[in-house]
Amino acid sequence: MRRGFTSPSTPSLTPSSSRHSRSPSSSPRPSRSPRNRYTAPASPSRTSSMEYRPGFMPTTVRRQSWQPGRKTVEELEAEYHDSDEDIPDDAVIFNIPMSPRPPHDRLSRSMSRSTSFSSSIAESIPETKHHTSAPAALGDNALPKSPRSSAGSLYSPSVTDSIPEESALEISRTKSWTAALSDLSREARELTEKLEEHAGETEREREKRIQSGAASARPSVEKSKTTSSVIQLPPVQKGNIMIDPLPISKEKEKVLSRTRPSWLPPKDPQEEKKHLKEYQRMMAHAQEAGKSPIPLLTGAERRMSAKKQEEQQRRDNQQNSISRIWDQHVLPNWDQVINEPRTRELWWRGVTPRSRGMVWQRAIGNELELSETSYNAALERAKTLDKKLKKLGGEKPREALWFESILRDTNDAFPELKIFQLGGPLHDTLVDVLMAYAMYRSDVGYVYGTHLIAGLLVLNLPPAAAFIALANILNRPLPMAFLVNDSNAMRRANDLVLRTLQYKLPNLHKHLAVTLKLEPEEYLEPMFRTLFSRGADLDIVSRIWDVYVFEGDKALVRAAVGVLDALEGRLYGTHDEVLALLGWNGKADWAIKDVDSFMKGVRSAGKVDAQANGAKP
């Protein structure tokens, strides 16, 4: 009797030290340690029990008598458990379900299965004649191998007189898919077959979609088409039997529409195309709304949003262009270009925030010839005096009242920014600048409203530069008049504003001066003393200052008229309502949104109406 040789991908039970040609004798071999077995890499190991598959004849068998001392699977599992950190060298991982085969391999094997089946049976019959006694000797535990393994494996079983040499056994060979499947347990084999069936069904469905034109033959193209799918049009309205029971004629079928019922008159083709485009657009927005939490916008809202984005883009481009002009043309050539008309157009359009500090510093100038040393000296005197005053008791001198007012008022400087309040990043800087100025102008000291002017400068300049700019800008005639309470200068400024207001807005002037009989100081003094830093937001104040630092006090008169013009609709109220908007005690919130329109009103406040005077503008 000749013994068959199993596939080399199964573990070899022949020790490497005693491999030689085997004779047909059936003498048993000694037991071997599992460490000396040969295990083919990356292939599932054969289990100790296999199922008999009807209709297939065994080609090769393995005798149990070869391995009398081999441990069973249960004994091996008892030796190794999951708590082991390292997998032993003789441990074998088995019964892992396999992934489905590639489509072309699965298709070719299924097509050749019918032919290979008959040939496998024919080849296995003569071979079983030499092994007629093998099944009886092995018993029920030794089940035959599927004949498909001989046709699909790389190393086919052969009937030889001797076992191959040791060099031949050391070559790494892989099993075929069917041979590896037959080595699995029942549960793993069933799961592998189910995965194979599912892969086949998926492939067939995809082939059907390809044939119908709904999918591409390439998965990448199919995926891209799925992600960017075209909106499906509604079906053609072919009628409702409850409303239109009559059959549709051929003439009527030609004019059926997708967007109008069949029992209504036919729709114009151009109108049909328009409605279909609107339908696709609505469905596209509906899909976008499903992917994004942003709500759907109507047509008017989309147009308004697009207009706002376009306007914002235009403003950004304009700001970038203006910034380059200031940085590359105006600042390097300040003395030559500052008096040119086109440079005046630049500051009316606004200085960019990046260049604003340097431009303001150059435009304000330094007539007082102050320096950083002046700032440090004034601040040192203020700190020293503050320490002495805190130790004194009794009645507080005016300097102590100045310092207390500074600490109190800095918490009200631009509260929306939250940087000048106690604990804010610029709180101490603003306090130092105000204390230094109070000591520098000890004849003036600290006046309420100065903290807002100083806060605007601290936002754009370092402390010493902010102190120098504050001292020089408050030294101008109109700010100094309101700072020292010069009644004659204050009255002249108020009269100039009222005359301009009577010329530009006669109805508002009559309401404020005649109907309500408001004194100009009640609503104009807060503007002039704070230089419009109270009531307006930061953008409005900065744009006013962009003009004021260049054109001087006349720009403040224009700005006052421009503010009254912008707030005209809210000023036709009672005495208290007007002061609540413009007075000291009210919560000033002008809420002027369009800065460019506001600055156009400020600029036109100083111009004479051409039609009223019969002159050219």
Side-chain angles (χ1 to χ4, degrees):
M1 182 181 300
R2 306 187 62 173
R3 294 176 181 165
F5 183 69
T6 58
S7 174
S9 59
T10 58
S12 173
L13 301 178
T14 306
S16 58
S17 60
S18 60
R19 289 178 181 166
H20 54 83
S21 299
R22 299 189 56 180
S23 61
S25 63
S26 59
S27 59
R29 302 187 59 86
S31 60
R32 294 158 182 84
S33 173
R35 292 183 180 272
N36 298 327
R37 298 183 302 185
Y38 171 79
T39 304
S43 63
S45 65
R46 185 181 298 275
T47 59
S48 60
S49 60
M50 298 178 56
E51 289 186 352
Y52 179 77
R53 303 183 67 174
F56 294 90
M57 298 300 293
T59 58
T60 59
V61 293
R62 287 188 300 173
R63 289 192 175 185
Q64 263 186 337
S65 58
W66 296 356
Q67 333 161 24
R70 182 179 179 181
K71 296 181 180 180
T72 62
V73 175
E74 290 77 11
E75 292 174 349
L76 292 174
E77 289 179 346
E79 292 181 3
Y80 307 111
H81 48 82
D82 296 338
S83 62
D84 292 337
E85 296 181 357
D86 299 328
I87 299 178
D89 296 338
D90 53 352
V92 180
I93 301 176
F94 56 92
N95 289 336
I96 303 298
M98 296 184 297
S99 301
R101 291 171 293 174
H104 59 87
D105 192 9
R106 187 168 56 251
L107 181 61
S108 61
R109 290 179 183 275
S110 60
M111 293 176 61
S112 60
R113 182 175 298 176
S114 58
T115 57
S116 62
F117 175 78
S118 57
S119 60
S120 300
I121 294 297
E123 293 176 1
S124 61
I125 290 175
E127 199 169 354
T128 53
K129 292 180 180 180
H130 301 283
H131 299 278
T132 52
S133 60
L138 294 176
D140 297 334
N141 293 331
L143 297 178
K145 188 177 179 180
S146 173
R148 286 178 293 176
S149 62
S150 60
S153 60
L154 279 172
Y155 183 82
S156 301
S158 60
V159 181
T160 58
D161 293 335
S162 61
I163 295 178
E165 298 296 331
E166 180 178 355
S167 59
L169 290 176
E170 293 296 330
I171 299 176
S172 175
R173 297 184 177 92
T174 58
K175 291 183 178 182
S176 65
W177 192 87
T178 52
L181 180 65
S182 62
D183 289 342
L184 300 178
S185 64
R186 179 178 180 180
E187 292 80 7
R189 186 165 56 251
E190 290 178 355
L191 181 57
T192 304
E193 292 175 352
K194 291 295 183 182
L195 292 174
E196 185 82 4
E197 293 177 3
H198 176 72
E201 293 177 359
T202 305
E203 187 66 23
R204 286 191 294 272
E205 292 177 0
R206 182 169 170 273
E207 290 294 336
K208 291 180 181 178
R209 292 198 303 270
I210 294 174
Q211 295 298 330
S212 62
S216 171
R218 296 176 59 187
S220 58
V221 177
E222 181 180 352
K223 184 177 181 181
S224 62
K225 286 187 177 181
T226 304
T227 54
S228 60
S229 59
V230 181
I231 303 299
Q232 297 293 332
L233 297 177
V236 177
Q237 303 292 331
K238 291 189 177 181
N240 189 338
I241 192 173
M242 301 300 296
I243 301 176
D244 189 13
L246 298 177
I248 299 176
S249 62
K250 294 184 179 179
E251 293 78 7
K252 187 176 182 179
E253 189 174 359
K254 295 179 180 180
V255 295
L256 288 178
S257 171
R258 296 178 181 269
T259 59
R260 176 171 291 184
S262 60
W263 57 86
L264 295 179
K267 184 182 288 189
D268 183 70
Q270 298 295 332
E271 186 179 5
E272 171 77 2
K273 292 181 180 180
K274 178 182 177 181
H275 290 173
L276 288 177
K277 289 182 179 179
E278 292 179 355
Y279 173 82
Q280 290 178 330
R281 189 159 46 250
M282 288 189 298
M283 295 302 295
H285 284 297
Q287 289 183 357
E288 294 177 0
K291 300 176 183 177
S292 172
I294 301 176
L296 284 176
L297 301 178
T298 62
E301 291 174 342
R302 288 197 303 272
R303 289 192 295 271
M304 185 177 297
S305 177
K307 185 177 180 180
K308 289 182 179 179
Q309 292 179 358
E310 184 178 347
E311 182 67 19
Q312 184 63 36
Q313 183 66 27
R314 183 189 65 80
R315 290 180 181 178
D316 294 341
N317 295 336
Q318 182 179 358
Q319 290 296 321
N320 294 333
S321 177
I322 293 175
S323 178
R324 287 195 299 270
I325 294 174
W326 281 107
D327 295 340
Q328 301 175 9
H329 179 67
V330 178
L331 290 175
N333 309 291
W334 183 270
D335 297 332
Q336 290 80 13
V337 302
I338 196 61
N339 295 321
E340 295 180 1
R342 57 180 180 177
T343 308
R344 186 170 185 263
E345 294 295 327
L346 282 178
W347 66 61
W348 274 105
R349 292 184 180 182
V351 183
T352 54
R354 185 180 64 181
S355 307
R356 184 165 282 153
M358 187 176 297
V359 171
W360 285 4
Q361 188 178 10
R362 296 287 298 273
I364 293 172
N366 189 13
E367 293 181 358
L368 301 176
E369 297 182 356
L370 298 176
S371 62
E372 186 175 357
T373 305
S374 305
Y375 167 70
N376 293 331
L379 180 59
E380 184 64 26
R381 291 198 306 269
K383 297 285 187 180
T384 304
L385 180 60
D386 186 34
K387 292 179 181 179
K388 292 181 180 179
L389 293 175
K390 289 180 179 179
K391 296 178 180 179
L392 297 177
E395 186 178 356
K396 296 180 180 179
R398 60 173 189 170
E399 290 83 359
L401 298 177
W402 293 345
F403 299 153
E404 290 180 359
S405 300
I406 290 173
L407 293 176
R408 181 188 66 246
D409 295 341
T410 49
N411 292 320
D412 298 332
F414 301 102
E416 67 277 4
L417 300 180
K418 298 180 180 180
I419 58 177
F420 295 119
Q421 287 66 37
L422 184 62
L426 295 179
H427 173 77
D428 296 336
T429 303
L430 180 58
V431 171
D432 292 345
V433 171
L434 291 173
M435 292 178 68
Y437 180 77
M439 293 305 298
Y440 169 72
R441 291 299 303 263
S442 57
D443 57 329
V444 178
Y446 171 75
V447 180
Y448 181 81
T450 311
H451 64 291
L452 298 175
I453 303 174
L456 189 61
L457 291 170
V458 168
L459 279 175
N460 296 278
L461 294 169
F467 166 78
I468 297 172
L470 177 65
N472 282 275
I473 203 169
L474 291 180
N475 199 46
R476 293 183 176 185
L478 196 149
M480 181 57 67
F482 283 88
L483 193 64
V484 300
N485 200 19
D486 187 352
S487 58
N488 293 328
M490 293 168 62
R491 185 173 60 254
R492 287 194 300 270
N494 294 335
D495 291 343
L496 183 58
V497 173
L498 290 178
R499 288 198 303 268
T500 308
L501 182 65
Q502 185 178 10
Y503 175 77
K504 287 290 185 180
L505 303 169
N507 294 331
L508 181 60
H509 175 268
K510 181 180 179 181
H511 177 74
L512 296 177
V514 179
T515 305
L516 299 180
K517 297 181 180 180
L518 285 171
E519 295 295 333
E521 293 81 5
E522 295 183 78
Y523 57 90
L524 293 180
E525 184 179 358
M527 298 184 194
F528 288 135
R529 183 176 291 182
T530 63
L531 299 183
F532 299 89
S533 299
R534 184 180 183 275
D537 58 9
L538 191 60
D539 292 337
I540 296 291
V541 180
S542 300
R543 290 292 298 274
I544 293 175
W545 275 54
D546 290 342
V547 179
Y548 172 60
V549 295
F550 286 102
E551 300 194 1
D553 293 343
K554 63 180 181 180
L556 297 181
V557 177
R558 284 187 172 188
V561 179
V563 170
L564 295 175
D565 185 11
L567 302 177
E568 181 182 5
R570 302 167 61 185
L571 295 177
Y572 290 105
T574 63
H575 182 279
D576 295 336
E577 290 175 349
V578 174
L579 294 184
L581 189 62
L582 299 176
W584 284 112
N585 297 327
K587 294 182 179 180
D589 184 11
W590 296 349
I592 301 175
K593 301 299 182 182
D594 194 346
V595 183
D596 293 333
S597 298
F598 169 77
M599 292 306 298
K600 289 181 181 178
V602 171
R603 191 171 188 179
S604 64
K607 295 181 180 180
V608 179
D609 192 354
Q611 296 179 356
N613 295 275
K616 295 183 180 180

